[in-house]
Amino acid sequence: MKKSTDHPKQLQKCLTGIKGFDEITEGGLPKNRTTLVSGGAGSGKTLLGLDFLINGAIKFKEPGVFMSFEETQEELYTDVASLNLDLQGLVSQRKILIEHVLLERKDVHEIDFNLEGLFVRLEHAIDSIGAKRVVLDSIESIFAGITDVGILRLEIKRLFRWLKEKQVTAIVTGEPLQETFTRHGLEQYISDCIILLDNRVKEQIAIRRIRIVKYRGSKHGTNEYPFVIDKEGLSVIPITSAGLDQPGTTHKVSTGIPSLDKMFRGVKSGFAKGSTVLASGTAGTGKTSLAAAFAVASCKRGERCLFLSYEESAGQLVQNMSSINIHFEPMIKKGLLKIVSTRPTFFGLEMHLLDLYKLIAEFKPNTVVIDPLTSLIGEGDQREIRSMITRMIDLLKSNGITSFFTSLVSSAAQNDTSGEIGVSSLIDTWIVVRELEEDLSKKRIRGLFIVKSRGTGHDSDVHKLILSDDGIKLVPMDDKSIAVANEKNKIGKNVSEGQKLIKQDKGE
């Protein structure tokens, strides 16, 4: 007898169109099934439901019904007025239908409670526009006042079964209690998928998180993922591994400083195209100047450069860099250079990362400068910072963008090469700039050396970094130069110390 080779049907999924969410669920919500979205006040449950319907109507040609038991149609319009979500327009085109059901105390009779009236109204709404998606907001309002657990269980099962028979992909919102995802605690057992939203405040910074608690018949991301709400709606930013899939390249790009290019050995000198570069050092050692030279060199090749400044305004950067013969204005006028200045404290890490996603999508840069990366330290704990920077580097590498980061080291730091925020293992080229003294404390100078450059031979000696009206140049150190106070014996050991730091960062 011939054995059947048929495989069981895989679970069909319904794309939500929400950035990042379809990635962590590996395709969206379970199609023609019910998903429970649980979260406290202000966590984004209603917006997730509206986003799901709006994306369905616009991107996937699937009409939807939003049945609200708490907010009227006008109140919902007001809620999304500040967002770029054309809810009112889609309702007028009958691509989305909003049903507001007002339940009063006199309407709830526990003894003979049933959902027939709700089913009739919901069925009419679904059939009138051919809806494929349904959102019920919220389930607590439907069963408010019902204390009989037996009736509750029967009617909740009946509601979920009815939605499945109507062949619609449904979202039902609920509010969690201490040990359950809804007040009744029954919906979580019969839902095919459970999504938990959380809005917490840590050290005066609000952080939103999303977690897939349960997903029948499908694997999914199980971690907590940060998400943000901005003018485009809800966006989830998961950690991906796209950057690890990028092929190597032999192409090189200039550092913008000919004498620094020569420190990288090979047929072509400079940074590897699509790599990540970190310049770390104390204040005033020339990190921003190195970044500016790289940005202008990129523009002179006809490439677009995005310059994110967390400490100086665009006007200050233009003025300050002109003093060392680095001119931003012509590149800005040509549309090759875009400077975006933002205070890190304006919003959290996730919003900074989301803004970078959007800027890259809009401007399509070939190179990106972030000055300084350390400004983000105060916006989260060490683990969150590392996670955010990992995702940032991953985003840049996956788009083939050559990125240049600067990192500020405290002058009181125990070791002045420690400003890489624990991410030196993720960096391809690491440059350290430091303050030195020449002629036995008579003159202060700047020194530069390359700690590492993956796949590229390089000069690891300390060079004198000179900033002048003519620009930037590097010259070999003379024998009389010494390190800043109490650093006399460290000049020849800088490279080995840098390598030691890398090993510490990797946990070796």
Side-chain angles (χ1 to χ4, degrees):
M1 183 176 178
K2 188 177 180 180
K3 290 184 179 180
S4 173
T5 56
D6 294 338
H7 296 285
K9 285 186 177 180
Q10 288 189 342
L11 178 69
Q12 286 188 307
K13 296 191 176 184
C14 176
L15 291 169
T16 64
I18 297 171
K19 294 175 185 175
F21 181 81
D22 291 332
E23 185 177 342
I24 62 175
T25 53
E26 299 195 4
L29 301 178
K31 191 170 185 176
N32 300 334
R33 298 193 183 191
T34 304
T35 296
L36 173 65
V37 177
S38 177
S43 59
K45 302 185 299 296
T46 302
L47 182 59
L48 188 146
L50 288 170
D51 242 351
F52 172 66
L53 294 184
I54 291 170
N55 288 331
I58 296 174
K59 298 178 181 178
F60 309 111
K61 310 300 180 186
E62 293 187 354
V65 171
F66 189 95
M67 183 165 277
S68 172
F69 300 92
E70 297 175 356
E71 295 179 280
T72 64
Q73 187 165 318
E74 291 302 320
E75 286 172 337
L76 288 170
Y77 289 158
T78 304
D79 291 345
V80 299
S82 61
L83 309 176
N84 293 339
L85 303 176
D86 188 19
L87 178 61
Q88 193 166 357
L90 292 169
V91 170
S92 64
Q93 298 169 37
R94 291 188 63 77
K95 292 181 178 179
I96 291 178
L97 189 63
I98 296 178
E99 284 282 332
H100 176 234
V101 179
L102 180 62
L103 291 175
E104 297 182 358
R105 188 169 182 176
K106 61 184 177 62
D107 298 324
V108 179
H109 304 286
E110 186 166 1
I111 297 175
D112 57 349
F113 179 83
N114 68 73
L115 296 173
E116 284 302 327
L118 177 68
F119 291 156
V120 169
R121 189 163 177 178
L122 188 54
E123 185 169 31
H124 179 266
I126 291 171
D127 293 343
S128 65
I129 63 170
K132 299 296 182 183
R133 303 182 179 208
V134 171
V135 175
L136 302 181
D137 184 37
S138 68
I139 198 165
E140 274 82 14
S141 300
I142 302 174
F143 298 104
I146 306 302
T147 58
D148 189 313
V149 177
I151 294 175
L152 267 174
R153 186 177 291 274
L154 287 173
E155 291 302 311
I156 289 172
K157 282 185 176 179
R158 191 175 169 213
L159 172 63
F160 280 49
R161 185 170 60 250
W162 187 89
L163 289 168
K164 188 177 286 188
E165 289 172 354
K166 285 298 292 182
Q167 294 290 291
V168 292
T169 305
I171 286 179
V172 176
T173 67
E175 298 177 8
L177 290 182
Q178 191 169 0
E179 296 180 356
T180 61
F181 296 107
T182 62
R183 291 178 186 173
H184 311 302
L186 303 173
E187 301 89 337
Q188 63 196 55
Y189 298 108
I190 54 178
S191 301
D192 294 292
C193 179
I194 299 176
I195 299 166
L196 181 62
L197 303 181
D198 180 28
N199 185 15
R200 69 191 74 161
V201 177
K202 185 177 180 181
E203 296 180 358
Q204 303 179 16
I205 299 173
I207 304 170
R208 285 188 168 93
R209 294 283 186 267
I210 188 169
R211 179 163 68 95
I212 314 300
V213 178
K214 167 186 173 184
Y215 201 136
R216 282 178 184 154
S218 173
K219 62 179 182 177
H220 56 86
T222 56
N223 297 331
E224 281 191 327
Y225 299 95
F227 76 94
V228 296
I229 296 172
D230 69 347
K231 62 182 180 180
E232 302 295 333
L234 191 145
S235 298
V236 182
I237 312 175
I239 296 177
T240 67
S241 58
L244 299 177
D245 297 332
Q246 294 304 304
T249 177
T250 57
H251 295 289
K252 298 293 179 68
V253 293
S254 174
T255 65
I257 306 166
S259 50
L260 179 56
D261 285 341
K262 292 177 182 177
M263 290 180 68
F264 295 92
R265 303 188 184 107
V267 179
K268 291 184 178 180
S269 55
F271 304 134
K273 189 174 183 180
S275 66
T276 51
V277 181
L278 175 70
S280 61
T282 54
T285 50
K287 300 180 300 300
T288 302
S289 301
L290 294 174
F294 170 74
V296 170
S298 174
C299 295
K300 286 181 177 178
R301 294 191 299 270
E303 298 178 349
R304 289 186 173 188
C305 179
L306 174 64
F307 198 116
L308 299 183
S309 174
Y310 292 133
E311 291 186 344
E312 296 178 273
S313 68
Q316 283 179 310
L317 273 172
V318 170
Q319 180 181 345
N320 294 343
M321 291 304 108
S322 63
S323 66
I324 54 172
N325 201 31
I326 295 176
H327 301 287
F328 280 161
E329 303 101 315
M331 306 306 170
I332 294 172
K333 289 178 181 178
K334 290 179 182 178
L336 293 172
L337 178 64
K338 184 181 183 71
I339 301 175
V340 178
S341 299
T342 312
R343 282 290 181 197
T345 50
F346 279 179
F347 34 75
L349 292 172
E350 286 74 32
M351 190 65 81
H352 282 293
L353 186 56
L354 180 64
D355 277 356
L356 180 59
Y357 268 76
K358 291 181 176 179
L359 284 167
I360 287 174
E362 293 169 6
F363 189 59
K364 295 180 173 56
N366 303 96
T367 57
V368 169
V369 173
I370 297 179
D371 176 50
L373 200 60
T374 34
S375 289
L376 301 172
I377 286 179
E379 308 312 305
D381 60 31
Q382 196 72 14
R383 185 175 181 180
E384 289 174 339
I385 294 165
R386 185 180 174 87
S387 172
M388 184 264 195
I389 294 172
T390 300
R391 286 176 282 155
M392 180 186 288
I393 291 173
D394 190 46
L395 167 67
L396 296 167
K397 282 200 169 189
S398 64
N399 284 278
I401 295 171
T402 310
S403 50
F404 193 111
F405 306 103
T406 68
S407 176
L408 177 65
V409 182
S410 170
S411 58
Q414 195 169 18
N415 191 313
D416 60 5
T417 57
S418 60
E420 79 294 343
I421 329 175
V423 293
S424 67
S425 60
L426 303 175
I427 299 296
D428 297 309
T429 299
W430 182 9
I431 297 171
V432 169
V433 283
R434 55 184 298 185
E435 202 173 74
L436 307 173
E437 290 183 11
E438 195 174 45
D439 294 335
L440 296 175
S441 304
K442 292 180 181 178
K443 184 180 179 183
R444 292 171 62 192
I445 62 171
R446 298 178 178 92
L448 177 149
F449 67 93
I450 302 169
V451 177
K452 71 169 184 178
S453 187
R454 286 176 178 151
T456 305
H458 57 276
D459 187 342
S460 56
D461 291 341
V462 179
H463 283 62
K464 187 188 297 186
L465 176 64
I466 300 172
L467 307 181
S468 67
D469 295 343
D470 298 324
I472 306 173
K473 66 177 180 178
L474 292 161
V475 296
M477 296 286 286
D478 55 46
D479 295 334
K480 295 180 180 179
S481 297
I482 62 169
V484 173
N486 299 323
E487 301 293 321
K488 184 174 180 180
N489 297 322
K490 286 181 64 177
I491 293 180
K493 299 178 181 178
N494 278 326
V495 176
S496 62
E497 286 177 356
Q499 298 299 335
K500 190 186 296 181
L501 279 171
I502 296 169
K503 290 184 178 180
Q504 289 173 359
D505 187 54
K506 292 180 178 178
E508 295 178 5

